[in-house]
Amino acid sequence: MAAMDPRNNGYVDPLNERERDEDLEVAEVVEVQDDQSVVSLKSNDSESKKKTIMENNGWTNAIILLGNQGLATLAFFGVGVNLVLFLTRVLGQGNAEAANNVSKWTGTVYMFSLVGAFLSDSYWGRYLTCTIFQVIFVLGVGLLSFTSWFFLIKPRGCGDGDLICNPTSSLGVGIFYLSVYLVAFGYGGHQPTLATFGADQFGENDKNSKAAFFSYFYFALNVGSLFSNTILVYFEDNGLWTEGFLVSLGSAIIALCAFLAPTRRYRYVKPCGNPLPRVAQVFVATARKWSVVRPENHRELYEVEGPESAIKGSRKIFHSNKFSFLDRAAVITEHDRNGTRINGWRLCSVTQVEEAKCVMKLLPIWLCTIIYSVIFTQMASLFVEQGDVMDAHIRKFHVPAASMSVFDICSVLISTGIYRHVIFPYVRPTELMRMGIGLIIGIMAKVAAGLTEIQRLRRVVPGQKESELSILWQIPQYVLVGASEVFMYVGQLEFFNGQAPDGLKNLGSSLCMASMALGNYVSSLMVNIVMVITKRGKSHGWIPEYLNEGHMDRFYFLIAVLAAIDFVFYLVFAKWYQPISHDEDSIKGSGVNRRAISELDQV
């Protein structure tokens, strides 16, 4: 039917009306699609800008944290680097006693890192943990400054190697030990958490930025200690102990203020809850199901449905073949199906089991790093005592024995630059390879120290404390230790932080410091054992009060042999190790218990 003139009663052909409606619908669809495209473009643009802002803020925050690390380290080493001489010159302790006390104190510093890591992962979070422990650190340095001025440095200027200090009171000594252990508690408690907090400022998958941050973190640590090992050591070596401690106090206060300043800009990660019950549940559930046959297909093991992990703040972890006996904890039995609610002490998810496996897989590698820490820790004790009985004069200038560690620091700074900008762009060794290289260089350092000691003993003048051998002969052993640190300790930071589950990141970082802690304790134990065995009859032992009558070179070579044996075990465990594998498509758990019994039917 032909359309009538629009002027005739406004009649419109129904067909044309339908066509018009269809055209309107198409126009509306096109308009909606265009709107959605604009929204999508705006959304993508917004996400891109947000990502750029996060990256910029990430490095801005990281630089502030690196500055905090440098200043806090300056304060810490202002106390620790010359502590062995403070104990001998001011408190009147012997060489072996002072070396053991320093080793125990240093070990305590790093052992407290486990306390900080636990509180951070479980309850307080990274920011609050760093804040509280840095406040304790400031209080410790402040109390030490007061104690040295009011109780210990009497007369003023004593403890320089010539002027003898007055006998100390038991009260003064007691407050001194309280203050230095507050320093140990504060510095040790926040160190691994600060490293993890700095890595948190970058995206989850920004591995390059995180690797760079860990390198610069250790770089900042050595920049801070550079000032302590030069300027502060020189003042303290000349009897200005209180002034040196006051400088450390000022540095600690500035570090704390710098950390607190950008509080609103930091990127925060919520604590994941106490990991100890989760790990314990895996072993208890495994013991309860010891007679249960494990399925051949690991997909039959229990895992929470959906992308979200059952562990608060943690992504899902894929199944691994190591320690397969623990898989029994994730086997679904009829007893599990008959319950109305899953009992965590009888049935664990694959992710929870893998979290326990990760801890067990890291332990052999970690144990193999302890002997290296023995090498490292003796740089602050035996190396200093060795340098103290060498010719420390370069023309008219006297070189403090403790300041020789500046060569270690410079070696770290130079080696870090060479690795990051020369080696890394072309060759990218794994963290395990770098740690092995560090162990080899550490062995070389001990051999160099032993050879230096042989030469020192050959040039001893009868009746004199100091050998005619120049203290500069110690440079090779310090340089080698510094180069080994870049490979070993930076590699450890990256390895343990990267291989630890999301809920145990701080624990991963603290394992590096815990290795140093046990290294100090093992060093102290070895000194005692060696002295008991070698000090018999008329023999003065390898590390006597008067080093010219001993054979510290044999002790150095003993450590080198033990480290070589340790390296063989390290190679075996490094080849055996299976890296952690996160499910990148999963999302971190919210902490809500989603494990209903109905999920078992979906597995």
Side-chain angles (χ1 to χ4, degrees):
M1 181 183 296
M4 296 182 63
D5 192 328
R7 291 172 294 182
N8 295 337
N9 299 322
Y11 176 77
V12 181
D13 184 356
L15 179 60
N16 290 342
E17 186 177 3
R18 288 195 300 270
E19 291 174 351
R20 184 190 66 182
D21 292 340
E22 290 175 357
D23 291 339
L24 287 173
E25 289 176 1
V26 171
E28 289 174 356
V29 171
V30 172
E31 185 177 353
V32 170
Q33 288 177 342
D34 290 340
D35 289 342
Q36 290 176 342
S37 298
V38 172
V39 171
S40 178
L41 289 172
K42 288 182 178 180
S43 177
N44 291 335
D45 186 56
S46 176
E47 290 178 1
S48 179
K49 288 182 178 179
K50 184 178 179 181
K51 183 178 180 181
T52 303
I53 292 173
M54 284 182 62
E55 289 177 354
N56 293 335
N57 285 345
W59 272 113
T60 301
N61 295 340
I63 290 172
I64 293 172
L65 296 176
L66 291 174
N68 171 270
Q69 166 72 348
L71 290 168
T73 302
L74 186 156
F76 172 73
F77 280 103
V79 174
V81 71
N82 236 358
L83 186 59
V84 67
L85 294 184
F86 187 91
L87 295 176
T88 55
R89 294 180 181 179
V90 179
L91 299 187
Q93 297 181 4
N95 285 328
E97 182 185 6
N100 281 340
N101 283 333
V102 170
S103 292
K104 292 174 185 177
W105 177 78
T106 309
T108 304
V109 172
Y110 298 128
M111 191 60 72
F112 279 142
S113 67
L114 294 174
V115 177
F118 174 78
L119 293 173
S120 177
D121 279 333
S122 304
Y123 304 111
W124 291 354
R126 329 262 207 247
Y127 174 81
L128 184 59
T129 302
C130 286
T131 302
I132 292 175
F133 280 104
Q134 286 195 63
V135 169
I136 295 173
F137 179 58
V138 170
L139 292 176
V141 180
L143 183 60
L144 176 62
S145 303
F146 170 77
T147 305
S148 64
W149 166 73
F150 193 77
F151 290 105
L152 303 179
I153 308 300
K154 304 291 182 181
R156 179 179 171 81
C158 71
D160 61 350
D162 296 320
L163 182 61
I164 300 175
C165 293
N166 296 335
T168 54
S169 65
S170 56
L171 177 62
V173 174
I175 298 177
F176 166 77
Y177 276 110
L178 172 64
S179 64
V180 293
Y181 275 92
L182 279 176
V183 171
F185 188 49
Y187 184 79
H190 92 274
Q191 273 293 289
T193 305
L194 185 68
T196 309
F197 188 54
D200 288 343
Q201 305 309 307
F202 305 100
E204 195 68 51
N205 297 318
D206 193 356
K207 295 181 180 180
N208 289 334
S209 294
K210 290 185 177 184
F213 173 79
F214 286 126
S215 293
Y216 295 135
F217 184 82
Y218 202 75
F219 184 91
L221 183 151
N222 282 273
V223 169
S225 62
L226 179 63
F227 183 85
S228 301
N229 285 266
T230 52
I231 308 299
L232 291 187
V233 162
Y234 183 78
F235 280 110
E236 294 170 357
D237 195 58
N238 286 278
L240 301 176
W241 294 97
T242 301
E243 289 81 353
F245 294 151
L246 286 173
V247 173
S248 295
L249 175 61
S251 180
I253 292 173
I254 296 172
L256 177 60
C257 294
F259 176 79
L260 296 176
T263 296
R264 294 185 178 181
R265 291 208 312 267
Y266 286 135
R267 186 170 180 262
Y268 297 92
V269 175
K270 293 181 179 180
C272 301
N274 190 344
L276 297 180
R278 294 200 303 268
V279 175
Q281 284 177 342
V282 173
F283 287 96
V284 171
T286 300
R288 285 182 168 185
K289 297 180 178 178
W290 194 254
S291 59
V292 173
V293 179
R294 301 191 307 273
E296 295 182 1
N297 187 352
H298 68 83
R299 296 184 183 277
E300 297 179 20
L301 299 174
Y302 170 64
E303 181 59 282
V304 176
E305 288 294 312
E308 185 174 354
S309 170
I311 300 176
K312 178 183 177 182
S314 178
R315 292 167 292 175
K316 287 185 176 181
I317 307 175
F318 288 122
H319 178 267
S320 66
N321 295 324
K322 302 297 182 183
F323 299 108
S324 57
F325 69 92
L326 292 177
D327 289 342
R328 291 184 174 87
V331 174
I332 305 169
T333 63
E334 288 300 321
H335 184 278
D336 297 321
R337 294 182 184 277
N338 294 333
T340 58
R341 194 73 176 170
I342 294 178
N343 182 356
W345 296 93
R346 286 196 59 89
L347 180 64
C348 305
S349 66
V350 170
T351 295
Q352 188 175 348
V353 172
E354 289 301 318
E355 186 180 53
K357 286 184 180 180
C358 285
V359 175
M360 295 185 65
K361 287 189 295 183
L362 291 174
L363 284 178
I365 302 295
W366 175 71
L367 289 172
C368 288
T369 65
I370 293 174
I371 192 66
Y372 172 83
S373 294
V374 172
I375 296 173
F376 173 76
T377 191
Q378 289 176 356
M379 183 175 60
S381 55
L382 294 182
F383 280 18
V384 175
E385 291 181 358
Q386 181 187 40
D388 198 42
V389 290
M390 299 176 74
D391 182 7
H393 292 86
I394 302 176
R395 294 186 179 180
K396 295 183 179 181
F397 183 75
H398 178 264
V399 180
S403 68
M404 286 298 293
S405 58
V406 71
F407 291 101
D408 163 75
I409 298 166
C410 291
S411 176
V412 169
L413 301 180
I414 294 172
S415 298
T416 301
I418 292 174
Y419 175 76
R420 290 297 309 172
H421 301 290
V422 178
I423 299 177
F424 187 76
Y426 303 101
V427 181
R428 298 193 177 187
T430 64
E431 291 92 346
L432 288 172
M433 291 174 62
R434 286 154 56 190
M435 290 161 64
I437 294 171
L439 186 53
I440 292 174
I441 300 176
I443 294 172
M444 295 168 59
K446 271 306 179 193
V447 172
L451 294 175
T452 298
E453 181 65 10
I454 290 175
Q455 293 299 320
R456 190 193 70 80
L457 291 172
R458 287 177 178 174
R459 302 191 187 185
V460 169
V461 178
Q464 292 186 8
K465 172 186 174 183
E466 297 178 352
S467 169
E468 292 183 340
L469 187 68
S470 172
I471 197 172
L472 298 181
W473 275 68
Q474 283 192 311
I475 292 177
Q477 63 201 58
Y478 277 104
V479 169
L480 286 170
V481 170
S484 69
E485 289 175 54
V486 173
F487 288 95
M488 174 59 78
Y489 284 140
V490 177
Q492 274 193 59
L493 275 173
E494 291 184 34
F495 176 75
F496 289 128
N497 187 273
Q499 293 300 309
D502 292 328
L504 298 171
K505 287 294 183 186
N506 287 305
L507 176 63
S509 297
S510 70
L511 285 176
C512 178
M513 299 189 71
S515 169
M516 297 181 188
L518 285 182
N520 279 274
Y521 292 133
V522 170
S523 175
S524 178
L525 179 63
M526 290 183 65
V527 169
N528 289 331
I529 293 175
V530 166
M531 284 302 294
V532 168
I533 294 175
T534 60
K535 190 177 180 180
R536 294 180 178 179
K538 295 182 179 180
S539 174
H540 298 282
W542 287 1
I543 313 174
E545 195 74 28
Y546 188 50
L547 291 180
N548 292 339
E549 298 176 346
H551 277 287
M552 196 157 58
D553 53 318
R554 298 175 183 174
F555 184 73
Y556 286 147
F557 292 138
L558 173 64
I559 300 296
V561 171
L562 293 176
I565 297 172
D566 175 71
F567 178 70
V568 175
F569 284 98
Y570 176 81
L571 289 178
V572 173
F573 288 125
K575 186 176 181 180
W576 165 86
Y577 183 78
Q578 181 180 1
I580 189 174
S581 180
H582 283 108
D583 184 355
E584 299 298 341
D585 294 329
S586 65
I587 59 178
K588 292 184 176 181
S590 61
V592 179
N593 190 356
R594 300 176 179 275
R595 300 187 298 177
I597 197 68
S598 59
E599 292 176 346
L600 298 181
D601 296 329
Q602 302 173 14
V603 178

